[in-house]
Amino acid sequence: MPLAWSPPVTLPPLAPLLERLVPIIRAAGDVVMKVYATDFAVRGKDDASPVTEADERAEALILPALQDLLPGVPVVAEEAVAAGRVPEFDRHFWLVDPLDGTKEFIGRNGEFTVNVALIEDGNPVLGAVLAPALNRLFLGAHGVGAFIEEGGARSPIRCRHSPAAGLTVVASRSHGDAAALDAFLAGRPVAALKSAGSSLKLCLIANGEADLYPRLGRTMEWDIAAGHAVLAAAGGKVRTLAGDALRYGKPGLDNPHFVASGLD
């Protein structure tokens, strides 16, 4: 990914920026749910992954809103990248997945999300993950904390310490590799194994509902950046299998295998 020089951008305080992001992501969630209520069509992209009108309409709403929110900060978004529109970026950029969990959306199980993250120097410093069908919004920012909005109320969230009874492990519902997962978990005290769709897995750890998420398959940066930001703000971490912190802005924008976890 070529990096181009651009005038220095100084980010505003993250707490008010997070608040200004909330109506944007909720409006995108409304667009997604309007399509969800219809007999929508599904098409295949060049990489054979599915795409719907909901992906495209939500992204069309989010991109200009983010450009107004932080003028001069590039927006890297899934459907734009798929169409060959990849902006040049440097220290700061947005990562957007307008509909993570398209297979869950098509399967109508509710476990799909709208994801927006802000990256600074390779780190996700702010993120929002909305599961509109579940009416759950997860928010997080560096130095601010992590929160969940549900039932009309906002509450702070925090990762939990690993229970003495064993780990609750979350795995991908649509992209699982059972043999690789079994090998990774061998020798670890596992109390429960849950399936979950989309970036909700990272948010479940942030909310103290799970402890470990090994992803032993391909993901793109926009798939997990927002959830990573929420998890980091809740005290958790995402590391490669080599133990390095997962970073963003990598060539190709794809991720290595990684493990997300809560408090030790």
Side-chain angles (χ1 to χ4, degrees):
M1 177 65 58
L3 300 183
W5 182 89
S6 58
V9 174
T10 300
L11 294 182
L14 294 181
L17 187 63
L18 191 64
E19 296 304 323
R20 293 176 65 192
L21 180 60
V22 170
I24 297 172
I25 199 168
R26 284 205 175 275
D30 291 343
V31 166
V32 167
M33 292 306 293
K34 287 178 182 177
V35 177
Y36 193 57
T38 69
D39 185 18
F40 55 85
V42 180
R43 304 185 308 281
K45 294 190 286 191
D46 290 344
D47 64 358
S49 61
V51 63
T52 71
E53 182 184 358
D55 303 69
E56 296 164 340
R57 290 180 57 187
E59 186 166 300
L61 183 152
I62 293 170
L63 265 61
L66 294 182
Q67 289 163 353
D68 289 342
L69 186 59
L70 283 183
V73 175
V75 183
V76 180
E78 180 180 13
E79 303 312 324
V81 171
R85 300 189 300 275
V86 186
E88 295 179 329
F89 55 83
D90 198 347
R91 292 188 58 208
H92 305 104
F93 62 99
W94 294 100
L95 276 169
V96 174
D97 190 343
L99 181 57
D100 184 46
T102 301
K103 291 183 179 180
E104 279 68 41
F105 184 84
I106 295 167
R108 297 184 185 275
N109 70 12
E111 294 183 353
F112 50 86
T113 55
V114 182
N115 300 264
V116 179
L118 180 63
I119 308 300
E120 180 176 31
D121 295 331
N123 300 304
V125 296
L126 178 148
V129 177
L130 174 65
L134 305 179
N135 194 25
R136 301 186 98 187
L137 172 62
F138 296 91
L139 303 165
H142 177 72
V144 177
F147 309 89
I148 183 173
E149 287 187 1
E150 59 182 344
R154 179 184 295 186
S155 305
I157 58 176
R158 183 78 175 165
C159 298
R160 69 186 184 187
H161 290 281
S162 301
L167 304 170
T168 294
V169 179
V170 284
S172 176
R173 185 183 301 280
S174 299
H175 305 279
D177 184 334
L181 181 63
D182 289 344
F184 179 85
L185 295 176
R188 288 179 168 84
V190 177
L193 182 62
K194 294 182 178 180
S195 293
S198 69
S199 54
L200 282 172
K201 294 179 285 294
L202 295 154
C203 296
L204 294 179
I205 299 175
N207 198 34
E209 299 176 54
D211 306 292
L212 195 69
Y213 166 37
R215 180 56 189 246
L216 308 176
R218 185 172 186 261
T219 57
M220 301 303 293
E221 291 189 0
W222 50 72
D223 291 325
I224 67 165
H228 186 173
V230 173
L231 178 60
K237 54 187 177 289
V238 180
R239 298 194 176 275
T240 68
L241 297 189
D244 301 319
L246 187 68
R247 293 178 63 80
Y248 296 82
K250 301 180 292 297
L253 296 168
D254 53 341
N255 297 316
H257 295 180
F258 64 82
V259 180
S261 59
L263 303 176
D264 296 328

